[in-house]
Amino acid sequence: MVGSSLKSELFFDLVYNLADMSDEEAILSNSIPQYLRRLNCFVACVLKYADGQFEDKYILPHVFRKDPIWQEIRGEFISMSSGVKKCAEVCYKDNYYYGFHLATYGCLIVGRKKPFDNIFQNELIPIVTFLGKSLVQSVESKLRQESELQLQRERNLL
């Protein structure tokens, strides 16, 4: 169990880490290592949902992508993705894997040797939701910028 002052510090770090970031890659490269370290996990991955499929957007450690266990865990969470739960848990070979919904962006998966207690897990959901909203906003912002550039190019051709 994590003490309340440590929990507050941990949650502050996870949210503060996203301050003033608007680039999807920067958000992922700065926040996922924080989740890995601060939540005492051995793996952290973001699956992005795009065009009806999930893609491995970011995974730490990178070598876990080649581990056959990853394909099984990944498949398990993808099959659960249509559910309404904010967080799903899978126990596999004495390890605990958690899949948190990232708004409409996708899913954050973390793996730990020990389970989260239910209270901590529930307190973590809004923090992960904030990460998801930040990622969605970054993608929407990039699409808007690209559309504006395209419109400006078309206007210049007229």
Side-chain angles (χ1 to χ4, degrees):
M1 172 118 174
V2 178
S4 63
S5 63
L6 183 57
K7 270 196 258 187
S8 298
E9 179 185 328
L10 184 147
F11 292 149
F12 178 76
D13 283 351
L14 294 177
V15 171
Y16 182 74
N17 191 47
L18 296 176
D20 299 324
M21 284 191 203
S22 61
D23 177 64
E24 177 184 16
E25 297 302 323
I27 291 170
L28 290 169
S29 65
N30 286 308
S31 62
I32 300 309
Q34 288 288 331
Y35 278 82
L36 187 73
R37 184 174 66 250
R38 299 296 286 169
L39 298 178
N40 196 23
C41 298
F42 61 83
V43 66
C45 176
V46 172
L47 298 178
K48 182 178 181 178
Y49 186 74
D51 300 324
Q53 296 183 14
F54 285 93
E55 74 170 279
D56 295 354
K57 187 66 180 169
Y58 198 90
I59 188 166
L60 281 180
H62 300 292
V63 296
F64 197 71
R65 184 182 317 262
K66 296 177 183 175
D67 193 323
I69 290 173
W70 171 239
Q71 293 308 315
E72 292 182 43
I73 296 301
R74 181 183 189 279
E76 189 75 32
F77 283 108
I78 288 173
S79 70
M80 286 190 242
S81 67
S82 61
V84 294
K85 293 177 85 173
K86 295 274 186 189
C87 178
E89 179 181 343
V90 172
C91 184
Y92 186 80
K93 295 189 178 182
D94 296 327
N95 292 315
Y96 298 86
Y97 297 89
Y98 297 87
F100 295 92
H101 286 279
L102 293 172
T104 59
Y105 185 85
C107 179
L108 168 70
I109 299 172
V110 294
R112 294 173 42 100
K113 298 285 184 195
K114 294 182 179 180
F116 288 131
D117 67 48
N118 287 340
I119 294 171
F120 184 79
Q121 182 178 330
N122 289 332
E123 290 176 347
L124 191 55
I125 290 170
I127 305 302
V128 175
T129 301
F130 180 74
L131 171 63
K133 288 178 181 178
S134 298
L135 288 165
V136 168
Q137 288 173 348
S138 72
V139 170
E140 289 174 352
S141 176
K142 183 178 179 181
L143 290 173
R144 186 175 50 252
Q145 288 172 350
E146 290 171 356
S147 295
E148 288 171 359
L149 280 173
Q150 181 64 26
L151 183 62
Q152 193 173 34
R153 285 186 201 120
E154 289 173 7
R155 285 183 182 162
N156 289 340
L157 290 174
L158 295 176

